[in-house]
Amino acid sequence: EEYVWLRNVRKENEHLRGRVNDLEQRLADYKEAYVENLRLRRLLDFKNTIQSQAIPAQVVLHDLTGWFQTLIVDKGFSDQIGPDMAVVNDEGVVGRILDVSDRYSRVLLITDPGSSVDAIIQRNRVRGILSGKDSNGCILKYVRGNVDVQVGDLIITSGKDGIFAKGLRLGIVQGIFKDPVDLFQKIEVKPLVRLSALEEVLIIKRDAPVPSSLMESR
């Protein structure tokens, strides 16, 4: 009788363990759906600020460890996407369209060493060129050593490179290094967009109005 009882208990435990695993998976699915819903709602609200001038796209491939800092998105020529269109999300600038095929496009991230964005320091309007350093950050170049730059300064687009509209948020100054023999100071910038966690982006068409949520505060 004890043997039969233990066998029944074991079967019941296995059944309950299966139920628990099923419920835990359902809970994980619900949480993922909830997070995705919040993320897509933010993107939709943001898109509504620029109406039909922006095209939403899904990130289908991250390539952040090779020679280039790039993403592949699921929009291309068939969606009226072209090279050098600005790519953003609700946090700030992601990069620009590099290559385009019929259904897909490759995005050059602002952290790629080949990326160059004409930028200004919001606080004092000093101009420089934001270039990629590595997957974790960028460098603001060509700012003279005698210019006042502070950790925490917001870097925004100047609108003078013909790709990005003026006032889009790029990143925050997180390090300043001055060399007495160098004309320019080295300014390290942390991008505002979490590039490694991107799942959706917006591609802004040419001459689209700049969304207020990405603009500098005035």
Side-chain angles (χ1 to χ4, degrees), residues 144-171:
R144 289 183 175 271
N146 59 352
V147 172
D148 174 34
V149 182
Q150 300 176 13
V151 172
D153 277 344
L154 176 64
I155 308 300
I156 61 175
T157 55
S158 71
K160 296 182 179 180
D161 53 21
I163 297 175
F164 300 97
K166 182 179 180 180
L168 298 175
R169 294 179 296 177
L170 289 164

Side-chain angles (χ1 to χ4, degrees), residues 97-161:
I97 297 295
L98 185 63
D99 303 317
V100 185
S101 66
D102 186 54
R103 296 176 52 196
Y104 298 96
S105 298
R106 186 156 60 118
V107 179
L108 185 71
L109 301 179
I110 59 173
T111 51
D112 187 274
S115 172
S116 295
V117 182
D118 204 301
I120 56 176
I121 301 171
Q122 183 192 44
R123 180 174 56 86
N124 55 17
R125 321 310 288 182
V126 171
R127 187 177 171 191
I129 300 295
L130 187 78
S131 296
K133 183 185 69 170
D134 53 37
S135 60
N136 297 317
C138 303
I139 296 177
L140 186 64
K141 300 179 178 179
Y142 310 120
V143 176
R144 289 183 175 271
N146 59 352
V147 172
D148 174 34
V149 182
Q150 300 176 13
V151 172
D153 277 344
L154 176 64
I155 308 300
I156 61 175
T157 55
S158 71
K160 296 182 179 180
D161 53 21

Side-chain angles (χ1 to χ4, degrees), residues 176-210:
I176 304 163
F177 306 93
K178 296 185 179 183
D179 188 337
V181 299
D182 196 341
L183 181 62
F184 304 109
Q185 54 188 304
K186 179 182 178 182
I187 303 170
E188 294 186 348
V189 178
K190 181 179 180 180
L192 285 172
V193 177
R194 294 168 296 170
L195 298 171
S196 61
L198 281 174
E199 296 185 53
E200 301 90 15
V201 297
L202 289 176
I203 303 170
I204 300 180
K205 288 188 174 182
R206 296 287 188 179
D207 303 323
V210 177

